[in-house]
Amino acid sequence: MISELKLNGISRAYGDHRALTELELTVHGGEFIALLGPSGCGKTTALNSIAGLLPLTGGSIDLDGRRIDTLPPEKRGFGMVFQNYALFPHLSVRRNVAFGLRMRKVARPEIERRVNAVLDLVRLAEHAHKLPGQLSGGQQQRVAIARAIVLEPPLVLMDEPLSNLDAALRLDMRAEIRRIHQEFGLTTLYVTHDQEEALSLADRLVVLRAGRVAQIGTPAELYESPRSAYVAAFMGYRNILELTAEVLDGTRATVAGDGVKLVGTLADERDDGPVCTVGAPVRVAIRPEDLRIAADGADVVFEAVAEIVEYHGREFQVDALTRTGQRVHLRTDERVATGDRLALTVDPRRALVFAGGGDGT
Amino acid sequence: MSALAAAPPRPALRHRLAEHGVDRTLLLMLPGIVAIAALFCYPFVYGLGLSFQPSKGGVFGAYRSFFGDSFSSGTIATTFGLAIPSSLINVGLSVPISYRMRGDFRGKRLLLTLLVVPITLGTVLTAEGILEFFGPVGWFNLTLQKLGLVSAGAPMKLINDYWGVLFSLIISGFPFAFLLTHSYLSGIHPALEKAAATLGAGWWQRFRFVTFPLLLPGLLTTFCLTFVLGFSVFPSAMMVGDPDGKTHVISIEAYEQALQNFDYPQGCADAMIMTGLMLAVIALAMGIRALFYSGSTGGKG
Amino acid sequence: MLRTKALTLRPGTWLVWALVVFFLVNVLGVIGSVVLDSFGTTWFNGWSPNGYTSSNYSSAWNEFDLGQVMTVTFEITFLVVGLSLLLGVPAAYALARRSFPGKRAVMLLFVLPILVPPIAYGIPLATVLYKFHLAGSLTGVVLANLVPSIPFVVYTMTPFIEQIDPRLEQAARMCGAPTRSVLGRIVAPLLLPGMLAAGILVLVRTFGMFELTFLTSGPTSQTLVVSLFSAVFSAGIRSAQSIDAMAVIYTGSMLVLLVIALRFVNPTQLVARSRD
């Protein structure tokens, strides 16, 4: 197992277009890291650059102190799971998995042994003789993983491996990937656009935006204290309100606008971000489950009329419109009917205030 | 009563047809099929029948006279002698060239377009050009003289010879083979080679174990199609070749019998022999093709 | 960094490019010597003709009666394009949309005329046309050229039709459109680009088709390429320059067609019949 892989400000540009800008990251052995972001944010570019499929246009990569970004992909020895699996269609499952070992001229009995072990691990032993075209999506997925890990690579790269599967299978395979990661003692770099997938799988998350790192942290850190409205939106803060700061008091801020007035917590901003000042535009991020219907006597933050009510078993999911036409989302276990006037409140600790309005950070 | 109940009623004809996918849409094929049947199948069968009714020599007389006369039967060797080397050269050159030219680069479309030109110009114009370019006082021989490779008095004899015809088959056949190989190659998903690279395969191993096996069925098809071109060589063999000697190919023999000697049965017999030989080669190539994987290669889109 | 990497190519890459360049230089030489000669007065020896003139063109035009030949050529070509589309597109539609017993046999029927060399089926076909007194006439030439053209249309159009979602037609039917409207208003407009491509490909091929036209044409139904062949083959009587002038006229028309074709189709489509 590696002890660490260091990405030293790696960049990739296509002419004027900068697909990836100065990514700094240190991956420790045994870690599961997810690169998260919407399509086009540079996460696949990052993965391909690390794999060596794309030459870097800046920065360097060190593996245990040895510089590897000058090596071609076949010399780096990383395992990669491709988005559409990229299984060799003319080779059987066994020969697909054995491919890397054959390229390294491993002795036949050794190949046999290791392929069998990996096929058992991914539970495909009885399909070993089939061609990839005869397998289901989930099985192909497991062949792709087996092929990548049979070499016991220092690092496994996975490029949205679950995006071609249907919802139920995706949940199963998610658990399967986590299991394989632990049982095989892998170090994994996993690209996805699905925050739930990233949160449930990864030890650490890297959120990318337009080729730059927006935030790096553990799932809990990102979930509890996102450092920008962008990351917050990605972490399930569905209500983003554009307001103005009125009073600042330590980490507390009173913000108002559009008939809304609430007290929130100033988020732990990035050093280079805009500073929150009185009268400046701010954005407030609130999760649907933190926006509650006010009990009698509680601080009412604003009122809204329920427009769409969905029954979700234990709770109701409500889309409501404020007086000024702002749409808010909330979850509640109280019975709500369409057209009801709701008095809403939020715990100041659960309303995150970010400096800067509009489309900035 | 019970017997009636036991035998389920025979479903209506239209239901049975519908089960097999037969409906009125299929009538749309009728005009095309009739046209091909009338213009291709009927003449072919007619020609086959005619070949068994020669003016002399009994049922197999025409075939006997073809194989009995060494000038006629020698055309088979001559034809293969042109078709096999030319298609091997064409396919053989196409593979490394199109492998190098995978992916996008500036001017790729222009290059492809330039390569299309010799195919569409057709054999007649190519032959006319070859007569002048490769002729004894043509630019090619002049260049060789300048380079000191041949003396002015003894230019290389390239036209009215085997070589002129081979050149014409390469000039019109190579672009054809290249474009086909190129399109087969771009049908192989690029991720497969990337996957092989991450598994430790160098460029030769990637080609040898991934790309080449996936390309092979396409190459055999390409070989067949270029072979058909070479096997049916006609105008260039007449124009730049030596039609009464070294390039007296089977199509010339058939043409001369049918439309110069007006011996239709003999001409048809020659055409049938030609078709038979060619189908045999194609069947052989397709038989080899069936031995390899020939399913999806990932596609590009 | 990247730039230098692209320039320091491996020797294999240089060899490949050298081969391509060598090939293209030869093609250029082949075409170039014909073009240059067509403008020359005489050219017995050396790198270029002794003098230049354009009179070869007028003499070629008159000598070979090219006005009439061109008219015939275009008549034949456009008739073949029209008829092969008319017969081929419906067949391609049925083949793309339905699977039925005997489909493989029908596919084989349509592939054979492409595989069998034109000379091999042209001779029996010419014989049959003589029997029906059609040989030598314009009709005979058109009929003969339909043989490879119809399958060509079928194989070009089938993948094209397959990529049109059949649910579009079903949706139109659910909106109450009868078959005629479905075909006319939904299928035909969607197929138009494909038909254009197939039509242009057939046009280029028929224009350049030598063997079939040669076997079935008479003095009044020769196309340009056949007249060119006859002129070259009976050379000696006529000056090489006017034959070359005719060849250049042929090349020129071919290139015009090619330029038009390439506006609508991918170069690889000109050779690859279908992506099976």
Side-chain angles (χ1 to χ4, degrees):
Chain A
M1 194 192 285
I2 56 162
S3 54
E4 65 170 25
L5 175 89
K6 275 185 82 161
L7 309 179
N8 306 313
I10 61 168
S11 304
R12 171 71 209 186
Y14 297 96
D16 290 338
H17 174 62
R18 324 193 89 199
L20 183 67
T21 312
E22 291 175 18
L23 173 61
E24 293 274 354
L25 181 69
T26 303
V27 183
H28 305 288
E31 248 189 331
F32 196 120
I33 293 201
L35 289 178
L36 180 65
S39 58
C41 73
K43 54 194 193 302
T44 297
T45 305
L47 203 70
N48 284 337
S49 304
I50 297 168
L53 298 170
L54 267 180
L56 294 178
T57 53
S60 65
I61 305 173
D62 294 341
L63 180 68
D64 289 338
R66 195 164 52 92
R67 186 165 175 185
I68 59 152
D69 56 291
T70 48
L71 298 176
E74 61 267 27
K75 298 269 168 61
R76 296 193 190 186
F78 295 161
M80 180 148 176
V81 178
F82 290 79
Q83 186 172 6
N84 48 15
Y85 318 140
L87 298 177
F88 306 125
H90 59 303
L91 301 180
S92 67
V93 168
R94 173 177 293 281
R95 286 167 58 95
N96 258 286
V97 176
F99 189 88
L101 296 169
R102 284 179 60 205
M103 292 301 113
R104 281 176 175 67
K105 308 222 167 10
V106 175
R108 257 174 202 289
E110 170 78 359
I111 293 183
E112 193 78 352
R113 190 184 61 73
R114 282 167 71 174
V115 170
N116 284 338
V118 172
L119 285 178
D120 280 339
L121 183 75
V122 298
R123 299 171 184 149
L124 276 175
E126 69 270 37
H127 300 292
H129 58 281
K130 289 187 182 167
L131 288 178
Q134 299 165 307
L135 300 180
S136 71
Q139 289 168 335
Q140 291 188 15
Q141 174 62 72
R142 284 182 297 181
V143 179
I145 294 174
R147 189 178 66 176
I149 64 176
V150 72
L151 297 169
E152 292 166 17
L155 178 69
V156 179
L157 307 165
M158 298 197 188
D159 187 4
E160 307 220 16
L162 303 184
S163 61
N164 287 353
L165 302 177
D166 62 51
L169 201 52
R170 209 175 303 168
L171 282 181
D172 288 349
M173 282 307 299
R174 197 154 91 187
E176 192 80 357
I177 287 177
R178 185 72 218 187
R179 178 181 70 83
I180 293 169
H181 170 83
Q182 281 162 353
E183 274 184 33
F184 231 68
L186 300 172
T187 307
T188 308
L189 202 56
Y190 185 101
V191 158
T192 179
H193 62 263
D194 182 339
Q195 48 104 0
E196 220 180 292
E197 214 172 282
L199 286 172
S200 61
L201 278 172
D203 301 320
R204 274 199 298 155
L205 270 65
V206 178
V207 181
L208 289 176
R209 181 190 193 188
R212 290 176 182 276
V213 173
Q215 191 171 353
I216 300 181
T218 64
E221 278 166 14
L222 264 75
Y223 195 72
E224 298 297 330
S225 44
R227 291 222 309 236
S228 67
Y230 172 81
V231 177
F234 227 87
M235 289 291 134
Y237 291 74
R238 287 186 70 197
N239 299 305
I240 307 273
L241 306 174
E242 310 233 342
L243 303 169
T244 310
E246 286 193 342
V247 182
L248 292 173
D249 173 20
T251 59
R252 282 291 156 90
T254 308
V255 294
D258 276 353
V260 177
K261 184 166 187 146
L262 58 85
V263 180
T265 307
L266 273 175
D268 177 22
E269 294 277 349
R270 278 202 319 245
D271 303 337
D272 56 348
V275 180
C276 195
T277 51
V278 171
V282 294
R283 291 203 281 174
V284 180
I286 305 169
R287 283 209 205 96
E289 56 269 35
D290 291 332
L291 202 56
R292 287 176 297 108
I293 295 173
D296 288 336
D299 263 348
V300 173
V301 172
F302 57 85
E303 289 193 335
V305 177
E307 198 191 31
I308 301 167
V309 179
E310 287 173 12
Y311 178 60
H312 280 213
R314 261 183 327 111
E315 56 180 15
F316 291 89
Q317 167 120 22
V318 183
D319 281 19
L321 283 181
T322 65
R323 205 150 32 80
T324 52
Q326 174 102 37
R327 182 179 295 272
V328 294
H329 312 274
L330 64 136
R331 287 198 196 144
T332 174
D333 44 15
E334 287 178 44
R335 177 166 290 277
V336 177
T338 310
D340 282 0
R341 181 169 291 273
L342 308 173
L344 300 174
T345 183
V346 62
D347 183 335
R349 281 168 305 172
R350 317 290 322 162
L352 300 181
V353 179
F354 299 98
D359 202 38
T361 30
Chain B
M1 254 324 252
S2 63
L4 259 179
R10 208 172 146 74
L13 179 65
R14 55 176 293 178
H15 288 162
R16 276 183 291 135
L17 288 177
E19 195 186 332
H20 294 287
V22 177
D23 64 13
R24 286 194 315 185
T25 312
L26 295 188
L27 288 177
L28 290 172
M29 295 189 308
L30 213 54
I33 290 179
V34 168
I36 294 299
L39 294 170
F40 179 76
C41 302
Y42 169 68
F44 213 87
V45 173
Y46 177 83
L48 190 64
L50 202 60
S51 73
F52 292 119
Q53 303 159 26
S55 45
K56 56 180 191 303
V59 176
F60 294 105
Y63 292 92
R64 218 174 287 136
S65 81
F66 178 86
F67 287 107
D69 178 5
S70 66
F71 186 65
S72 308
S73 56
T75 59
I76 294 180
T78 312
T79 313
F80 275 102
L82 275 168
I84 299 273
S86 69
S87 31
L88 284 181
I89 291 173
N90 290 338
V91 175
L93 286 181
S94 299
V95 176
I97 295 183
S98 45
Y99 189 69
R100 279 274 159 232
M101 294 189 184
R102 286 159 310 161
D104 274 324
F105 52 89
R106 236 179 316 148
K108 180 167 178 175
R109 199 183 154 96
L110 178 73
L111 185 73
L112 292 182
T113 308
L114 281 179
L115 284 171
V116 168
V117 171
I119 310 173
T120 41
L121 288 181
T123 41
V124 175
L125 187 95
T126 314
E128 170 70 4
I130 285 175
L131 278 180
E132 290 178 14
F133 182 72
F134 290 105
V137 294
W139 285 340
F140 190 77
N141 263 313
L142 284 180
T143 311
L144 290 185
Q145 281 171 32
K146 269 271 182 296
L147 297 174
L149 295 173
V150 296
S151 67
M156 270 177 97
K157 183 171 160 55
L158 297 169
I159 61 166
N160 299 328
D161 195 22
Y162 174 85
W163 295 107
V165 183
L166 191 68
F167 287 158
S168 90
L169 286 176
I170 292 172
I171 286 182
S172 50
F174 165 71
F176 182 80
F178 170 77
L179 291 176
L180 275 177
T181 310
H182 178 264
S183 71
Y184 279 115
L185 202 59
S186 58
I188 297 174
H189 201 289
L192 294 178
E193 267 206 51
K194 290 186 186 169
T198 62
L199 293 168
W203 77 267
W204 168 248
Q205 289 171 311
R206 295 203 286 274
F207 178 76
R208 165 75 186 76
F209 294 111
V210 178
T211 311
F212 187 69
L214 289 172
L215 186 61
L216 201 58
L219 280 187
L220 284 165
T221 309
T222 310
F223 176 83
C224 281
L225 293 172
T226 41
F227 179 82
V228 171
L229 283 185
F231 194 77
S232 55
V233 58
F234 178 64
S236 53
M238 296 276 272
M239 288 162 69
V240 294
D242 173 15
D244 299 322
K246 284 183 219 161
T247 67
H248 185 69
V249 292
I250 193 162
S251 53
I252 295 182
E253 171 72 16
Y255 162 74
E256 284 175 351
Q257 291 293 355
L259 293 157
Q260 286 186 348
N261 303 345
F262 297 104
D263 186 351
Y264 293 122
Q266 186 64 53
C268 286
D270 296 356
M272 295 304 141
I273 293 167
M274 184 175 173
T275 312
L277 288 172
M278 204 211 60
L279 289 180
V281 171
I282 290 181
L284 186 69
M286 289 298 134
I288 296 173
R289 187 180 189 265
L291 297 179
F292 298 100
Y293 173 86
S294 61
S296 157
T297 50
K300 217 173 190 176
Chain C
M1 182 74 183
L2 273 173
R3 194 46 50 95
T4 50
K5 196 171 178 186
L7 282 176
T8 53
L9 301 165
R10 268 175 285 193
T13 314
W14 281 112
L15 189 69
V16 162
W17 281 109
L19 277 172
V20 172
V21 169
F22 179 71
F23 178 80
L24 288 176
V25 164
N26 278 292
V27 169
L28 202 71
V30 163
I31 300 171
S33 37
V34 174
V35 173
L36 201 59
D37 194 32
S38 75
F39 288 103
T41 47
T42 52
W43 185 4
F44 295 116
N45 220 323
W47 291 94
S48 57
N50 302 336
Y52 295 96
T53 169
S54 62
S55 66
N56 294 325
Y57 283 86
S58 50
S59 69
W61 191 271
N62 299 326
E63 224 174 302
F64 302 111
D65 197 9
L66 285 188
Q68 197 257 341
V69 171
M70 287 297 245
T71 318
V72 170
T73 306
F74 280 100
E75 269 173 12
I76 289 172
T77 311
F78 281 101
L79 276 171
V80 169
V81 170
L83 284 172
S84 57
L85 283 179
L86 202 64
L87 296 169
V89 174
Y93 180 80
L95 280 173
R97 281 285 186 261
R98 292 285 183 278
S99 74
F100 51 91
K103 182 169 174 175
R104 289 177 66 90
V106 176
M107 299 290 261
L108 184 69
L109 180 72
F110 281 121
V111 87
L112 275 179
I114 298 180
L115 275 188
V116 177
I119 283 276
Y121 66 83
I123 289 172
L125 178 61
T127 317
V128 168
L129 290 175
Y130 274 109
K131 193 173 94 172
F132 289 103
H133 305 291
L134 286 169
S137 71
L138 203 92
T139 320
V141 177
V142 171
L143 288 178
N145 274 295
L146 282 179
V147 176
S149 302
I150 294 174
F152 190 78
V153 169
V154 170
Y155 277 93
T156 320
M157 290 300 292
T158 308
F160 217 94
I161 297 168
E162 275 168 354
Q163 75 181 17
I164 295 175
D165 194 338
R167 279 172 297 188
L168 288 176
E169 291 153 50
Q170 290 160 0
R173 276 189 203 281
M174 296 314 288
C175 296
T179 306
R180 194 162 32 81
S181 308
V182 172
L183 290 179
R185 286 169 189 265
I186 307 294
V187 179
L190 287 171
L191 283 188
L192 214 55
M195 293 195 329
L196 193 67
I200 286 171
L201 294 176
V202 170
L203 186 84
V204 171
R205 295 184 138 239
T206 309
F207 194 84
M209 169 53 83
F210 171 75
E211 286 91 341
L212 285 174
T213 314
F214 177 67
L215 290 173
T216 54
S217 63
T220 56
S221 55
Q222 283 192 348
T223 58
L224 193 52
V225 63
V226 175
S227 312
L228 179 60
F229 176 83
S230 317
V232 176
F233 210 66
S234 56
I237 334 164
R238 316 182 201 277
S239 78
Q241 274 79 14
S242 57
I243 293 173
D244 280 338
M246 181 162 157
V248 170
I249 293 175
Y250 169 75
T251 318
S253 355
M254 199 73 199
L255 284 179
V256 169
L257 289 182
L258 198 62
V259 168
I260 297 172
L262 288 171
R263 282 186 64 89
F264 297 101
V265 299
N266 187 317
T268 46
Q269 252 186 308
L270 281 159
V271 290
R273 290 153 228 279
S274 66
R275 292 184 159 243
D276 49 349

